Amino acid sequence: MKTKDKSITSLFLVFLLFSGIHAQDNDLDNIIRDYFKTIGQDKIVEIETAIASGITIQYGDETSFKQIQKKPDKAYLEVLLSDGQILKQGFDGKTGWMQASWMGSSEPVELTGPDLKTIKEMGNIEGDLWNWKEKGHKLLMLGTEELDSNQVYHLRLTKADGDIDELFIDVNSHLLHKMIRKTIINGSEVEMEVRFDDYRNIEGILLPFEVEQYFNGQLGMTIKIKEVKFNIEVEDNLFIKPD
């Protein structure tokens, strides 16, 4: 009789487990649906090119930048430093490269490792949460908690390459307010906190015009967007490594 009781109890626990999984899946689906609806994901997926310009502030030093994205996975970044030096980076869908005026040579350098990964990710217009299952990512709902006096959903996105993004989405506004990214660089885990603020509506799409990056709890960089344009014609050769 005890064996039967144990079997019934185990079976009941299994049903509870699966009920919990389905409930969490439903909650997660609703959170992502509301998030996409709020930011205008239906319009984001229709974007062919995006051009953003602005400034970065790092340890009191201000630089200007222009970032260009083109589907399906092309990216270009140009940075003008305060001393007049220029940095250019590009990714054509296969190869990443960098050209810097202080390198003493006009020859571009092919990017590898974390640098290649960064410029490659820049070409992802639709974002990591879009079609996350098809991309091989895993997404979990970890619950709700308080962030800056607001209630937020805490999600964990484990990407196919092993990187982990902790995402904090406001319960009421459905906007992403904070992300903690964990990645491996040179064999060591590095953690970066990113905060998103000053959301503005550009052609039906909500974008954060101020982004703060923290390293080990200290503010490392502030990014302030000045202008964003969509679907401007951009030639493919911009992204190709110069000869």
Side-chain angles (χ1 to χ4, degrees), residues 82-113:
S82 57
D83 61 0
Q85 303 275 16
I86 298 177
L87 167 70
K88 297 179 181 180
Q89 290 185 335
F91 181 72
D92 62 6
K94 294 181 179 179
T95 303
W97 55 271
M98 179 183 74
Q99 207 171 25
S101 57
W102 61 84
M103 292 174 61
S105 172
S106 60
E107 290 293 322
V109 176
E110 190 165 319
L111 294 176
T112 59

Side-chain angles (χ1 to χ4, degrees), residues 11-47:
L11 187 60
F12 179 66
L13 289 174
V14 169
F15 278 124
L16 279 180
L17 174 63
F18 277 99
S19 296
I21 290 174
H22 289 309
Q24 186 190 65
D25 283 347
N26 289 334
D27 288 343
L28 190 58
D29 289 342
N30 290 335
I31 292 168
I32 297 302
R33 181 199 63 203
D34 291 341
Y35 169 69
F36 283 157
K37 182 179 179 181
T38 299
I39 66 172
Q41 186 71 27
D42 59 328
K43 294 180 175 61
I44 293 175
V45 297
E46 295 176 353
I47 294 173

